[in-house]
Amino acid sequence: MTTAQKTKRLEYSHTMGMTVMEGKGFYYPVDTAVGKDDRLYVISRSKEETTRGIRVTICDAESGYFGNFGGYGFGGGQFVWPACGATDSQGRFFISDERLHRVTAYDADGAYLFHWGHQGSSEGELDTPSGLAFDGQDNIYVADTYNNRVQKFTADGRFLLSISGEGERGVSLPWGLACDAQDNVYIADFGNDAIKKFSSDGEFLAAFGSSGRSEGQFTRPASVAVDREGYIYVADWGNERVQVLDATGNFVQLLRGEATISEWAANFLSINREEAAARTTANLDMEIDYFIDDPHEESSHIEKYFWCPVSVKLDSQGRLYVTETNRHRLQIYRRAE
């Protein structure tokens, strides 16, 4: 991979979210799906030992809030360990469940429709599914993470094909997925620190990136998105950053995070005066002498930076939504002027 002439593809817009276990806000969010009219479905996973807070929040980029649905359980419409979401051309929302090894579908308002999938390693079976992505024909790709493959299904769960292999053509612990305008599928190859590109019939096309912390390198990439011009956006989870590549994999831009107070949080602080007063005296941009050279250390201490940027998604306007698990928020970037 070479480094392209650097251009500013994105610029920071604003932040959404706040930490709440119920209601308007998020609690350890792990993914955001973009639906019709750019309506957002934000998946809160909560902590493993805490079932309260698990839900999907419907909102929009202007901080509109339209309620929650789902919740912990084993029945239809419920989930135990939700991972990733995607929407189809009809506006239906689909979510994967790592513990129940299934995919569940809802209508645009969050009403349960159906689910499919069960644990196993044969064709059509799943083991700890994570990333989801729809192509232009409403076929759905599922990152079958512990089976080290990606499977393609019809929306109602009929198996179509499997993507797996050895070496550069294989995937290890695949996570986030995306499809481009030509129905090629991009895989965040978490275990191999790379982004893999395959055709709609499963043919290997390209691999981008390598292990490391330099520009164009990744450490445990968790999510990938592709815009209409072929630019690739990667949640470089292990390096606490987001990277932008061009269509051939050349480095374009690096984002560390520029978060400001969200509208929801500002409203909360206007009511909770004591917390607001404490915040005004806090040093939110500290200069720290770190004992270890680890991106996690800096991100965990500086509020504006990404801390566990686990998901990247694009809307119809080209805005990028970065879901941060550990700070319970989305940072939103728009196309640069």
Side-chain angles (χ1 to χ4, degrees):
M1 177 185 297
T2 60
T3 300
Q5 182 178 356
K6 298 177 186 178
T7 58
K8 189 176 181 181
R9 185 75 180 168
L10 297 171
E11 60 186 15
Y12 174 75
S13 175
H14 62 287
T15 294
M16 278 188 58
M18 59 179 290
T19 312
V20 295
M21 297 185 74
E22 297 175 336
K24 184 163 58 174
F26 316 129
Y27 196 62
Y28 294 96
V30 289
D31 196 20
T32 299
V34 182
K36 286 190 172 181
D37 300 320
D38 291 335
R39 181 162 287 197
L40 305 176
Y41 299 83
V42 183
I43 302 169
S44 288
R45 182 142 128 172
S46 190
K47 296 181 178 180
E48 188 168 7
E49 70 277 9
T50 306
T51 59
R52 185 182 170 205
I54 298 176
R55 65 194 187 277
V56 177
T57 299
I58 308 177
C59 53
D60 63 27
E62 287 69 44
S63 299
Y65 170 69
F66 309 106
N68 303 307
F69 65 91
Y72 180 86
F74 297 83
Q78 296 179 306
F79 28 75
V80 174
W81 202 232
C84 298
T87 58
D88 68 6
S89 66
Q90 301 176 49
R92 299 180 299 182
F93 170 75
F94 290 68
I95 191 171
S96 59
D97 191 318
E98 292 186 279
R99 289 287 175 83
L100 300 181
H101 310 284
R102 71 189 188 191
V103 174
T104 300
Y106 307 80
D107 70 16
D109 297 318
Y112 167 71
L113 297 174
F114 57 85
H115 67 265
W116 48 264
H118 60 273
Q119 188 174 17
S121 58
S122 299
E123 287 187 347
E125 296 179 329
L126 302 169
D127 191 349
T128 318
S130 53
L132 304 176
F134 279 97
D135 66 14
Q137 286 70 52
D138 273 346
N139 298 311
I140 186 171
Y141 290 90
V142 181
D144 189 8
T145 304
Y146 278 18
N147 281 325
N148 296 311
R149 66 188 180 187
V150 171
Q151 297 195 76
K152 181 179 179 181
F153 299 86
T154 60
D156 59 1
R158 180 170 60 86
F159 172 79
L160 296 175
L161 64 83
S162 179
I163 298 173
S164 61
E166 300 295 332
E168 185 181 47
R169 297 171 180 267
V171 292
S172 173
L173 302 176
W175 196 259
L177 305 175
C179 289
D180 66 15
Q182 292 73 44
D183 284 342
N184 299 311
V185 60
Y186 295 71
I187 302 170
D189 192 351
F190 189 88
N192 287 321
D193 295 330
I195 301 299
K196 302 290 177 62
K197 178 181 179 181
F198 292 82
S199 69
S200 59
D201 58 5
E203 178 188 358
F204 173 80
L205 298 177
F208 308 126
S210 60
S211 299
R213 290 166 55 182
S214 298
E215 293 175 349
Q217 294 183 319
F218 309 117
T219 300
R220 300 296 183 255
S223 181
V224 61
V226 186
D227 69 19
R228 295 171 184 171
E229 298 172 68
Y231 283 85
I232 303 164
Y233 305 81
V234 181
D236 190 4
W237 179 84
N239 286 322
E240 303 284 4
R241 64 191 185 183
V242 170
Q243 295 196 69
V244 185
L245 312 178
D246 68 17
T248 58
N250 296 316
F251 173 81
V252 174
Q253 187 178 1
L254 187 149
L255 308 174
R256 287 292 313 278
E258 304 174 60
T260 50
I261 291 292
S262 72
E263 182 179 313
W264 297 352
N267 181 65
F268 173 85
L269 291 171
S270 71
I271 298 169
N272 295 272
R273 302 286 180 84
E274 291 184 1
E275 292 192 40
R279 181 178 175 81
T280 61
T281 63
N283 183 358
L284 300 178
D285 199 1
M286 297 179 287
E287 293 185 5
I288 301 172
D289 292 325
Y290 298 101
F291 293 102
I292 58 174
D293 182 19
D294 185 344
H296 171 82
E297 286 298 307
E298 189 173 28
S299 286
S300 63
H301 285 89
I302 307 299
E303 185 184 79
K304 67 182 179 181
Y305 287 157
F306 298 133
W307 189 14
C308 193
V310 70
S311 168
V312 286
K313 293 292 177 66
L314 292 160
D315 69 9
S316 65
Q317 300 179 46
R319 292 179 294 196
L320 184 76
Y321 300 87
V322 183
T323 305
E324 289 181 74
T325 300
N326 285 353
R327 286 209 168 92
H328 318 278
R329 68 190 181 192
L330 310 181
Q331 290 198 45
I332 303 174
Y333 287 75
R334 59 176 174 259
R335 290 283 297 273
E337 298 293 336

